[in-house]
Amino acid sequence: MADADEYGAQVTKQGSLVRQLKKDGAEPEKIKAEVDKLKNMKGELEKLLKAQSASEPQLNRAAFDQMLVRKFFVVPSFEIHGGVAGLFDLGPPACGLKANILNMWREHFVLQENMLEMDCTNLTPHNVLKTSGHVDRFTDLMVKDDVTGVCARADKLLEDAIDHLIDNNPTMSQAEKDEHLLIQRQADAYKPEEIDVLLKKYDVKSPEGNPFGASFPFNLMFKTTIGPEGTSDAYLRPETAQGLFVNFKRLVEYNAGKLPFAAAQIGLGFRNEISPKGGLLRVREFCMAEIEHFCDPNDKAYPRFELVKDKVLTLFSSDNQLSTGKTEQMTIGEAVGKKMVDNETLGFFLARTQIFCERIGMDPARIRFRQHLKTEMAHYACDCWDLEVKTSYGWMECAGHADRSAYDLTVHAKATNTDLVATKMLSKPQTVEIAKIKLNRKQLGMVFKAEQRAVANAIDDLAQSWANFEPFAAKLEADGKAEIAGFEVTKDMFSYEKKNKTIHEVKYTPSVIEPSFGIGRILYSLLEHCFDIRENDEQRTFLKFKPVVAPIKVAVLALQKDKQFEPIISDLKASLMDLNLSSRIDDSTASLGKRYARADEVGIPFAITVDFDTVSSSTVTLRDRDTMQQIRAKISDIVGLLKALCTEKMVWEDVVAKYGLVAGADEEGEEGEKKPQGKTFIQSTGRGRFSRPTVV
Amino acid sequence: MADADEYGAQVTKQGSLVRQLKKDGAEPEKIKAEVDKLKNMKGELEKLLKAQSASEPQLNRAAFDQMLVRKFFVVPSFEIHGGVAGLFDLGPPACGLKANILNMWREHFVLQENMLEMDCTNLTPHNVLKTSGHVDRFTDLMVKDDVTGVCARADKLLEDAIDHLIDNNPTMSQAEKDEHLLIQRQADAYKPEEIDVLLKKYDVKSPEGNPFGASFPFNLMFKTTIGPEGTSDAYLRPETAQGLFVNFKRLVEYNAGKLPFAAAQIGLGFRNEISPKGGLLRVREFCMAEIEHFCDPNDKAYPRFELVKDKVLTLFSSDNQLSTGKTEQMTIGEAVGKKMVDNETLGFFLARTQIFCERIGMDPARIRFRQHLKTEMAHYACDCWDLEVKTSYGWMECAGHADRSAYDLTVHAKATNTDLVATKMLSKPQTVEIAKIKLNRKQLGMVFKAEQRAVANAIDDLAQSWANFEPFAAKLEADGKAEIAGFEVTKDMFSYEKKNKTIHEVKYTPSVIEPSFGIGRILYSLLEHCFDIRENDEQRTFLKFKPVVAPIKVAVLALQKDKQFEPIISDLKASLMDLNLSSRIDDSTASLGKRYARADEVGIPFAITVDFDTVSSSTVTLRDRDTMQQIRAKISDIVGLLKALCTEKMVWEDVVAKYGLVAGADEEGEEGEKKPQGKTFIQSTGRGRFSRPTVV
């Protein structure tokens, strides 16, 4: 089959041939022949484009969204009061799913890597976020409808305009398309004056057709005040990270002074999004899980990197984004080796994130890591890779992995006049030239009062290296005064002499590597990736949650209403509870097949059915959601099997191998026949829930 | 020993005798004799009071607070930036402790009672909290220092003034004392004009000695706005409950329409406290765990009440608070039977809360349930009992258990014109008289436009009972118009006729019973209750966390630094991780005794030590923190033992019975001898960590 992109280029060529013929005044028959050919080609192209999109995973978003609300996974917050854009509540099944994902995250990252977990406050005073740069720079560019006063995000308008342009020009050449897509990819990195030009170029108007005013930065933090006097400005934290940075001193002490180490935090973040769309993917209040890994800026090796180096990732480097537009499959070892990924620590976390996504049951074919463009990154950042997950909304950022260098600790240290440093023992003592300072404290105190300590510290810091100190000293000798850290000091404030000093350790400000996860987005993506439809039955949807994340592990059913089943079911429920296995009893009068379907629909991986054989032989059937196969075993065995299945000590195939299938079990609803496996509309990856989890 | 209260009354009597003698101009010798007697009596009284307070549990708060910060349990938030009153961060050990407590809470309440857990947003729009009453009434009375402008809470000032008065008058009669204490207990229930009178009576001044202005209500919610236009007022939720109430319709549907059922939520609450003191006990941002149990107002029986009815609680009824001032020990069955506790459901939750507190390791002798005084309760509330826990700050409210009747659902239903009701099948059909309505929709629409549905619903509701409808109809006939739900309707808008109707079910607004837990306060109380000191060694503090809640379950130590121990230790760590048992390797060069002490200090219940026998026989020692006893067993056995100990399938005594103690193990630090058991400064209760948990 021809490639739609290539064929599109031929259509474009044919179109310009027709235009040329018309321009040249060629014979009508000749023109007509070429026009007919062009028409045929356009029809062909349309078919190609349709076929191409059909071969990609498709999701019936309307049906999916309806299912989310109907099954009480996610509902708009304060719905009966009219709701608030960008706020959603999680109902019982999503709440359980989220708790399981967070437990796995904690085990996968915090426990495995011995991270120090903290729980810091959401309310954050002004000075902390002023220091971090959020008060001044945590903004989105906003434009205002000149007529209605309604506000919109400038970058999203630009992105939408480009989508619209491309969608409405199926014959656009790949080259032209690439040009637009390049602009689209950089949409959130433009300055106000740049984006204003682009909005004009793409002729962006408000939905009502009104012009927008010039763009301006809008701060995304929710503001409030603390205390009854109303004078202490504060914000809801936009990220959990700052709480860890300001606690660095205590963290490093707790870790007995050793580096590298990581701190972690699971908690809320708040962003006053300008006009949130995209359901669960752009919300104003969200759960985050963040890691701050502190290390020596000159040594970003990771001791356990060896364990992940052969893990293959789909990487979308900044070079490729600006050239081919294509991703590459590569082991993380190779990517770090050729410096595409800056260092081992960053590489280790990319690989562990990939493994985490697979462990919770995401489709690996819909996961990639995209490197930030230079223009997207803050000036101090070394490298940054986003985990992007493909959903029906396109590729969505679900986690960031940024090497933020020493920026965060440096700004907080400076603003608070606190040492936020680590100490490194030298392998052998070194002799260095320093300036030995003798302060005239009286004079310093008289001039600088409360700030004398800051001045003294600045002089002391500079004096640690004679090479750094000398120019300052020279100026002081020449002018009688000199500036340091914003203060003007005079000769009479201290004396100094050049000395040799033997040092055994050095102090340094650690670099920070920050993997940061948007749990809400991961939850949503997982729901999409797990949504499936039974072959030949479009009405029968199911959620193929892996047993380890499924909020409810097992449905407990009776073959039919019968008093004698009741004590068996309540004993069973108690045994399951004892092993911490959540269960749901469905005692409705629906047929067994309907009740299985109902359990499938909310992603319950297993179902136990109590029947008359249970009364005589203490055996029950156990049904697997994905294969719809059943086995029969003693109740006491079944509970143990379930525990093993839900903690990934065993897979369904092991169970079948041991107990054999129940012959002729045909309670599967109206159809009366067993289907082998759900028709997946995701590409098969060979890494389904039957493969054991990759353990690093 | 004489009772200090009684003796105090004698001292007061002697004092008044002396005053009378002076007044009567008695002989100086006689006066002197009585004055000397009075002086002696006062000295005696002081001794009595001292002895009395020493017999109560004492905590060295300074040492304890220092430990909390030093061991990174709790630190002030944003400390390096100067901190914010009422905000605290949890460091790694407290973070782990909190996670374990929440897991137990979830299992104890949500799973055991099949509750529907939700996760609603913290940001809450104005209209929701206006409806709930928080915008108008969620206030504390505040006074302002006339001179400095500093604000303070009126009720706390009154409480402190009474404490101060009593402390400085050791001879005050019990009767007088009781009078003051009664006022103190009602401090937060007074109206502004009442408290102003009391503040004047007790001569309350600001710390600077300035007078305060009149008290006024201050709203405790943090305010912000949502959206870029800044026009949508919102608050940070002061409780999680509202999110559950506004979702009632979906919750009851999810529960297949069945009542009773409970919804639950674990999340944050925010209160802009006026002048927070008391460390972790009065904070501005806190974790809550709330339950909303929905039930028939006419049937508050609880099916599982039978299981808890013999549980003995310490109850402090409102009657006793206003009379004897003493608590009573009583089974919850008796308390509900005599209507001291209003109903079975409320009683069930009180008992379950008591059991939960015992399960996590609180001291039962320091737990009581205090009933709200009539003046403390909202007008709609039926009954309310606080879980109070004794700490070094006195008795602190850690959870509330309120029967809020149908208030919450009623106000939200009214404000949103939504049915928030449940349906009850009648045991046999009933015939009722109703009004059958025929609406003139055209006329209604013309007059009421968008509000026509609200009017129609109001007429319809009234028409469900002829008895209710008749007076309205009579007025309409007489005047041609009548008022309904704030609307004036006229005769031409509908016709009606009286009819009999057979009904099979009735709709009703459920009552809400709300157990609400302050997790931060529970955490703090638990830390105080677990803090202990080794007998004969004041320097050696330890935290006797129960294994099930301990953040780190086991310390892994080597007898000494030795290469051959390293692989054993890392294998051991991996095996523990595999069973989800958190461990800490202490590879410092400190003596084994010191390292045991260090593990005790942060509450690690067990320690494994690898020594030379491990290399030859694969055995290790296992040490129990509380008894400091050790056993020796195969590594493979030890890991299983630990799992059983930490999931309460086994207790230490079982382990000792099976493996026997290690003879002559004397690594316990400098002392070189084994101490049998920590000296507890809490009263012994016979329900320590060696008794199996009460399972209901």
Side-chain angles (χ1 to χ4, degrees):
Chain A
M1 195 159 90
D3 179 83
D5 290 346
E6 273 175 36
Y7 196 74
Q10 291 176 34
V11 175
T12 310
K13 220 166 145 190
Q14 180 69 15
S16 65
L17 172 65
V18 171
R19 277 194 302 278
Q20 192 61 42
L21 289 175
K22 284 180 176 170
K23 198 178 157 195
D24 296 348
E27 287 168 34
E29 297 91 79
K30 193 164 181 196
I31 294 180
K32 188 180 177 299
E34 294 299 337
V35 165
D36 286 349
K37 193 178 168 194
L38 180 62
K39 275 184 185 161
N40 282 335
M41 285 175 83
K42 280 189 176 174
E44 208 58 39
L45 178 62
E46 215 156 277
K47 277 186 222 154
L48 274 175
L49 286 167
K50 230 177 208 161
Q52 186 168 302
S53 75
S55 76
E56 290 199 347
Q58 291 297 319
L59 176 101
N60 180 342
R61 173 113 55 82
F64 177 71
D65 282 351
Q66 220 182 22
M67 182 280 295
L68 287 188
V69 173
R70 200 177 65 244
K71 292 295 166 189
F72 210 2
F73 278 92
V74 186
V75 293
S77 302
F78 315 109
E79 210 179 358
I80 62 169
H81 281 274
V84 179
L87 295 183
F88 294 90
D89 292 344
L90 301 184
C95 207
L97 189 62
K98 180 183 157 198
N100 292 341
I101 290 175
L102 287 178
N103 278 340
M104 285 187 73
W105 191 91
R106 194 173 261 132
E107 188 260 311
H108 188 80
F109 290 105
V110 179
L111 290 182
Q112 287 284 350
E113 306 300 320
N114 288 309
M115 294 174 181
L116 308 184
E117 190 179 348
M118 287 198 73
D119 198 355
C120 306
T121 62
N122 290 266
L123 287 166
T124 307
H126 176 86
N127 48 351
V128 172
L129 292 161
K130 177 77 185 171
T131 302
S132 68
H134 285 87
V135 170
D136 296 323
R137 293 189 303 276
F138 192 67
T139 55
D140 271 343
L141 289 182
M142 182 157 96
V143 290
K144 211 170 191 168
D145 180 325
D146 279 350
V147 182
T148 65
V150 171
C151 299
R153 248 179 87 169
D155 59 340
K156 292 288 157 202
L157 289 173
L158 181 59
E159 288 176 9
D160 290 350
I162 291 172
D163 277 343
H164 189 255
L165 183 71
I166 293 177
D167 288 350
N168 285 288
N169 291 278
T171 63
M172 186 187 287
S173 75
Q174 192 58 43
E176 193 187 340
K177 219 190 259 181
D178 286 346
E179 201 179 293
H180 295 305
L181 290 174
L182 176 56
I183 290 171
Q184 193 182 44
R185 279 197 296 271
Q186 301 179 79
D188 66 353
Y190 291 114
K191 297 195 178 73
E193 54 278 17
E194 292 169 342
I195 208 154
D196 285 345
V197 170
L198 289 165
L199 290 177
K200 196 155 282 171
K201 177 180 159 189
Y202 287 97
D203 193 29
V204 172
K205 294 251 181 346
S206 84
E208 287 80 11
N210 301 323
F212 283 116
S215 64
F216 60 96
F218 169 76
N219 196 298
L220 297 178
M221 293 193 294
F222 287 100
K223 195 172 177 176
T224 190
T225 58
I226 299 178
E229 292 87 4
T231 49
S232 277
D233 280 354
Y235 302 91
L236 294 177
R237 64 180 178 194
E239 56 176 31
T240 69
Q242 299 305 322
L244 300 176
F245 296 140
V246 299
N247 274 297
F248 175 76
K249 222 177 152 71
R250 292 202 180 276
L251 284 165
V252 74
E253 268 170 35
Y254 186 79
N255 207 47
K258 287 183 212 158
L259 254 78
F261 76 91
Q265 183 168 195
I266 297 173
L268 295 173
F270 297 83
R271 295 185 190 177
N272 194 5
E273 296 287 352
I274 292 169
S275 47
K277 283 169 206 142
L280 274 181
L281 295 172
R282 191 162 293 283
V283 294
R284 284 169 162 158
E285 177 176 333
F286 45 89
C287 177
M288 309 177 83
E290 295 196 295
I291 295 166
E292 309 298 331
H293 177 93
F294 300 100
C295 61
D296 185 341
N298 299 313
D299 180 9
K300 294 179 181 174
Y302 199 91
R304 288 153 55 85
F305 183 72
E306 187 66 18
L307 293 168
V308 300
K309 73 175 197 317
D310 296 326
K311 182 78 195 167
V312 175
L313 307 184
T314 303
L315 299 175
F316 197 14
S317 69
S318 60
D319 283 350
N320 281 11
Q321 288 166 61
L322 296 174
S323 56
T324 64
K326 295 208 189 298
T327 60
E328 292 168 273
Q329 297 257 328
M330 199 182 293
T331 66
I332 191 64
E334 188 188 345
V336 171
K338 60 157 92 162
K339 278 295 220 178
M340 180 196 276
V341 171
D342 186 74
N343 58 69
E344 277 190 4
T345 300
L346 194 56
F348 177 81
F349 282 116
L350 295 186
R352 288 292 288 169
T353 295
Q354 170 86 28
I355 296 165
F356 173 72
C357 291
E358 292 171 8
R359 282 187 67 189
I360 62 171
M362 276 190 185
D363 173 13
R366 288 188 263 177
I367 292 173
R368 73 180 185 192
F369 292 89
R370 187 182 73 80
Q371 189 172 33
H372 277 209
L373 303 177
K374 283 269 172 283
T375 47
E376 276 177 275
M377 278 197 291
H379 63 93
Y380 50 78
C382 297
D383 195 7
C384 186
W385 290 81
D386 283 347
L387 161 73
E388 292 192 333
V389 180
K390 193 162 192 187
T391 70
S392 62
Y393 293 92
W395 288 99
M396 295 302 305
E397 175 198 350
C398 286
H401 305 76
D403 183 335
R404 301 175 52 80
S405 75
Y407 175 77
D408 307 280
L409 293 181
T410 307
V411 293
H412 284 293
K414 190 153 174 253
T416 60
N417 198 23
T418 313
D419 271 351
L420 298 181
V421 293
T423 305
K424 180 165 60 172
M425 293 301 292
L426 293 169
S427 49
K428 52 180 184 180
Q430 285 177 9
T431 303
V432 292
E433 291 182 327
I434 61 153
K436 190 163 192 273
I437 303 291
K438 203 177 156 191
L439 294 170
N440 179 347
R441 295 208 173 266
K442 200 175 146 197
Q443 185 65 16
L444 268 175
M446 251 167 52
V447 177
F448 295 113
K449 303 201 171 65
E451 296 186 306
Q452 61 175 305
R453 213 181 116 215
V455 180
N457 284 349
I459 297 171
D460 225 50
D461 282 354
L462 194 65
Q464 295 311 307
S465 151
W466 178 256
N468 293 341
F469 188 76
E470 198 173 24
F472 169 72
K475 182 156 172 43
L476 201 63
E477 294 297 338
D479 303 348
K481 61 186 182 181
E483 201 181 297
I484 185 164
F487 300 104
E488 192 183 84
V489 294
T490 49
K491 271 188 75 165
D492 57 343
M493 289 176 180
F494 62 94
S495 58
Y496 63 89
E497 56 181 320
K498 186 174 164 184
K499 281 263 184 184
N500 279 338
K501 186 178 165 186
T502 305
I503 55 168
H504 302 267
E505 55 178 40
V506 286
K507 289 192 190 307
Y508 64 95
T509 304
S511 269
V512 171
I513 290 172
E514 178 187 85
S516 164
F517 295 74
I519 298 298
R521 288 185 168 195
I522 286 174
L523 189 74
Y524 178 84
S525 310
L526 181 63
L527 282 164
E528 269 205 11
H529 289 200
C530 288
F531 186 63
D532 210 340
I533 296 171
R534 294 281 181 209
E535 208 170 349
N536 304 326
D537 189 353
E538 295 243 331
Q539 295 306 306
R540 233 178 125 181
T541 66
F542 67 111
L543 283 162
K544 48 186 178 190
F545 295 138
K546 290 177 73 174
V548 71
V549 300
I552 299 170
K553 308 297 186 197
V554 52
V556 180
L557 315 172
L559 181 66
Q560 61 190 62
K561 280 246 178 211
D562 197 315
K563 278 270 173 215
Q564 61 184 320
F565 296 153
E566 286 172 17
I568 301 175
I569 285 183
S570 71
D571 281 358
L572 193 51
K573 171 111 192 159
S575 313
L576 292 166
M577 182 105 67
D578 205 42
L579 290 177
N580 235 326
L581 293 167
S582 52
S583 61
R584 175 190 284 177
I585 298 171
D586 184 345
D587 57 3
S588 73
T589 53
S591 75
L592 199 53
K594 276 234 177 77
R595 282 180 286 157
Y596 283 148
R598 204 184 277 163
D600 293 347
E601 216 181 348
V602 294
I604 304 177
F606 305 106
I608 293 176
T609 302
V610 172
D611 54 24
F612 294 104
D613 286 356
T614 314
V615 181
S616 57
S617 70
S618 284
T619 62
V620 289
T621 60
L622 180 65
R623 172 187 180 269
D624 174 59
R625 174 198 60 212
D626 293 350
T627 59
M628 298 195 279
Q629 294 171 339
Q630 294 182 28
I631 62 121
R632 177 176 280 277
K634 289 265 178 201
I635 291 179
S636 47
D637 287 1
I638 291 282
V639 177
L641 282 178
L642 279 169
K643 185 71 187 175
L645 286 164
C646 293
T647 50
E648 300 189 326
K649 307 279 184 234
M650 209 175 193
V651 294
W652 179 250
E653 285 163 346
D654 301 336
V655 175
V656 173
K658 187 161 173 197
Y659 292 91
L661 289 175
V662 174
D666 60 357
E667 298 92 342
E668 291 294 296
E670 280 65 33
E671 317 91 275
E673 52 154 325
K674 301 276 297 290
K675 303 283 165 52
Q677 175 93 32
K679 164 194 152 201
T680 57
F681 51 56
I682 62 164
Q683 290 140 315
S684 172
T685 62
R687 276 177 286 189
R689 56 167 283 252
F690 292 127
S691 49
R692 289 178 191 273
T694 317
V695 176
V696 172
Chain B
M1 195 161 90
D3 178 84
D5 291 346
E6 274 176 35
Y7 197 74
Q10 292 176 32
V11 174
T12 309
K13 216 166 150 191
Q14 179 70 14
S16 65
L17 171 65
V18 169
R19 276 193 301 280
Q20 192 62 42
L21 289 177
K22 284 179 178 172
K23 197 178 157 196
D24 296 348
E27 287 169 36
E29 296 93 80
K30 191 163 185 198
I31 295 179
K32 189 176 178 297
E34 295 298 336
V35 166
D36 286 349
K37 190 177 169 195
L38 180 62
K39 276 183 185 164
N40 281 336
M41 285 174 84
K42 280 188 175 175
E44 207 58 38
L45 178 62
E46 215 157 278
K47 276 186 221 155
L48 274 176
L49 287 167
K50 232 179 209 162
Q52 185 168 302
S53 75
S55 74
E56 291 201 347
Q58 290 297 319
L59 177 100
N60 181 340
R61 173 112 55 81
F64 178 70
D65 284 351
Q66 220 182 23
M67 182 281 295
L68 287 187
V69 172
R70 199 178 67 244
K71 293 295 165 190
F72 209 1
F73 278 93
V74 186
V75 294
S77 302
F78 315 109
E79 210 181 356
I80 62 170
H81 281 275
V84 179
L87 295 183
F88 294 89
D89 292 344
L90 302 185
C95 207
L97 188 63
K98 180 182 157 196
N100 293 342
I101 290 175
L102 287 179
N103 279 340
M104 286 185 73
W105 191 89
R106 196 174 260 131
E107 189 259 309
H108 188 80
F109 290 104
V110 178
L111 290 183
Q112 288 284 351
E113 307 301 319
N114 287 308
M115 295 175 180
L116 307 185
E117 191 179 348
M118 288 199 72
D119 199 355
C120 307
T121 62
N122 291 266
L123 286 166
T124 308
H126 176 85
N127 47 352
V128 173
L129 292 161
K130 177 76 185 172
T131 302
S132 68
H134 285 88
V135 170
D136 296 322
R137 292 188 303 274
F138 192 65
T139 55
D140 270 344
L141 289 182
M142 181 156 95
V143 290
K144 209 170 193 168
D145 179 327
D146 280 350
V147 182
T148 64
V150 170
C151 299
R153 246 179 90 168
D155 58 341
K156 291 289 157 201
L157 288 173
L158 181 60
E159 287 176 9
D160 291 350
I162 291 172
D163 276 343
H164 188 255
L165 183 71
I166 293 177
D167 287 351
N168 285 287
N169 291 277
T171 62
M172 187 187 284
S173 73
Q174 192 57 42
E176 193 187 343
K177 220 190 256 180
D178 286 346
E179 200 179 295
H180 295 304
L181 289 173
L182 176 58
I183 292 171
Q184 193 183 45
R185 278 197 297 272
Q186 300 181 79
D188 65 353
Y190 290 114
K191 297 196 177 73
E193 55 277 16
E194 291 168 344
I195 209 157
D196 286 344
V197 170
L198 289 165
L199 291 177
K200 194 156 284 172
K201 175 182 161 189
Y202 285 98
D203 193 27
V204 173
K205 293 252 178 349
S206 84
E208 287 81 11
N210 301 323
F212 283 115
S215 63
F216 59 96
F218 170 75
N219 195 298
L220 296 178
M221 293 194 294
F222 287 101
K223 193 173 180 178
T224 189
T225 58
I226 298 178
E229 292 86 4
T231 49
S232 278
D233 280 354
Y235 303 89
L236 294 176
R237 64 180 177 194
E239 57 176 30
T240 70
Q242 299 306 322
L244 300 176
F245 296 140
V246 299
N247 275 297
F248 175 75
K249 221 177 152 73
R250 293 203 179 274
L251 284 164
V252 74
E253 267 168 38
Y254 186 81
N255 206 47
K258 287 181 210 156
L259 252 79
F261 76 92
Q265 184 167 195
I266 297 173
L268 295 174
F270 296 83
R271 295 185 189 177
N272 194 6
E273 296 286 353
I274 291 168
S275 46
K277 281 170 207 144
L280 274 181
L281 294 173
R282 191 162 294 280
V283 296
R284 285 169 163 158
E285 178 177 333
F286 45 88
C287 178
M288 308 177 84
E290 294 194 296
I291 295 166
E292 308 300 330
H293 177 92
F294 299 101
C295 62
D296 185 341
N298 299 315
D299 179 9
K300 294 180 181 173
Y302 199 92
R304 288 154 53 85
F305 183 71
E306 187 65 20
L307 292 168
V308 299
K309 73 175 198 319
D310 296 327
K311 183 76 195 167
V312 175
L313 306 184
T314 303
L315 299 174
F316 196 16
S317 68
S318 60
D319 283 350
N320 281 11
Q321 288 166 62
L322 296 174
S323 56
T324 65
K326 295 209 190 300
T327 61
E328 294 168 89
Q329 299 258 326
M330 198 184 293
T331 67
I332 190 65
E334 189 188 345
V336 171
K338 61 159 93 162
K339 280 294 224 176
M340 181 196 275
V341 171
D342 185 76
N343 57 69
E344 277 190 6
T345 300
L346 193 57
F348 177 80
F349 283 116
L350 295 187
R352 287 293 288 169
T353 296
Q354 171 85 27
I355 295 165
F356 174 72
C357 291
E358 291 171 9
R359 283 187 67 189
I360 63 172
M362 277 190 185
D363 173 14
R366 287 187 264 178
I367 291 173
R368 73 179 186 193
F369 292 89
R370 187 182 72 80
Q371 189 172 32
H372 277 209
L373 302 177
K374 283 271 172 284
T375 47
E376 277 177 275
M377 280 198 288
H379 63 93
Y380 49 79
C382 297
D383 195 6
C384 186
W385 290 80
D386 284 346
L387 161 72
E388 293 191 333
V389 181
K390 193 162 193 187
T391 70
S392 62
Y393 293 92
W395 287 98
M396 297 299 307
E397 176 198 350
C398 287
H401 305 76
D403 183 333
R404 300 174 54 79
S405 74
Y407 175 76
D408 307 278
L409 293 180
T410 307
V411 293
H412 284 293
K414 187 149 178 257
T416 61
N417 198 22
T418 313
D419 271 351
L420 299 180
V421 294
T423 305
K424 180 165 59 174
M425 293 301 290
L426 293 169
S427 50
K428 52 181 183 180
Q430 286 177 9
T431 303
V432 291
E433 290 181 328
I434 61 152
K436 190 164 192 274
I437 303 290
K438 205 178 157 191
L439 293 171
N440 179 347
R441 292 208 176 266
K442 201 175 146 197
Q443 184 65 17
L444 269 175
M446 251 168 50
V447 177
F448 295 113
K449 302 201 170 66
E451 295 185 308
Q452 61 176 301
R453 210 179 119 218
V455 180
N457 285 348
I459 297 171
D460 226 50
D461 281 354
L462 195 65
Q464 295 312 306
S465 153
W466 178 256
N468 293 342
F469 188 76
E470 198 174 26
F472 170 72
K475 182 157 171 43
L476 201 63
E477 295 296 338
D479 304 347
K481 60 186 183 181
E483 201 181 300
I484 186 165
F487 300 103
E488 192 183 86
V489 294
T490 49
K491 270 189 79 165
D492 55 345
M493 289 176 181
F494 62 95
S495 58
Y496 62 89
E497 55 182 319
K498 185 173 165 184
K499 281 261 183 186
N500 278 338
K501 187 178 163 187
T502 305
I503 55 167
H504 301 269
E505 53 178 41
V506 285
K507 289 192 190 306
Y508 65 96
T509 303
S511 270
V512 171
I513 291 171
E514 178 187 86
S516 165
F517 295 74
I519 298 298
R521 288 185 169 195
I522 287 175
L523 189 73
Y524 177 83
S525 310
L526 182 62
L527 281 163
E528 269 205 12
H529 289 199
C530 288
F531 186 62
D532 210 339
I533 296 170
R534 294 279 182 212
E535 208 171 349
N536 303 326
D537 189 352
E538 296 244 330
Q539 294 305 306
R540 232 177 127 181
T541 66
F542 67 111
L543 283 162
K544 47 185 178 191
F545 295 138
K546 288 177 77 174
V548 70
V549 300
I552 300 171
K553 309 296 188 200
V554 53
V556 180
L557 315 172
L559 182 65
Q560 60 190 64
K561 281 246 177 211
D562 196 314
K563 278 271 172 213
Q564 61 182 326
F565 297 152
E566 287 172 13
I568 301 174
I569 284 183
S570 72
D571 282 358
L572 194 52
K573 172 113 192 159
S575 314
L576 292 166
M577 183 106 65
D578 206 43
L579 290 178
N580 236 326
L581 294 167
S582 52
S583 61
R584 176 189 284 178
I585 297 171
D586 184 345
D587 57 3
S588 72
T589 52
S591 74
L592 200 53
K594 276 232 178 77
R595 282 181 285 157
Y596 283 147
R598 206 184 274 163
D600 293 347
E601 216 181 348
V602 294
I604 304 177
F606 305 107
I608 293 175
T609 303
V610 171
D611 54 24
F612 294 103
D613 286 357
T614 314
V615 182
S616 58
S617 69
S618 286
T619 61
V620 290
T621 60
L622 179 66
R623 172 187 179 270
D624 173 60
R625 174 199 60 211
D626 293 350
T627 59
M628 298 193 281
Q629 293 172 340
Q630 294 183 27
I631 61 119
R632 178 175 280 276
K634 289 267 178 202
I635 291 179
S636 47
D637 288 1
I638 290 281
V639 176
L641 282 179
L642 279 169
K643 185 72 187 175
L645 286 165
C646 293
T647 50
E648 300 189 325
K649 308 277 185 234
M650 208 175 192
V651 294
W652 179 250
E653 284 163 345
D654 301 336
V655 175
V656 173
K658 187 163 175 195
Y659 292 90
L661 290 176
V662 174
D666 60 358
E667 298 91 343
E668 291 292 300
E670 282 63 33
E671 317 91 276
E673 54 154 326
K674 302 275 296 293
K675 304 283 167 51
Q677 174 92 33
K679 165 194 152 201
T680 56
F681 50 58
I682 61 164
Q683 290 142 314
S684 172
T685 62
R687 276 176 286 189
R689 55 168 284 254
F690 291 126
S691 50
R692 291 179 190 273
T694 316
V695 176
V696 171

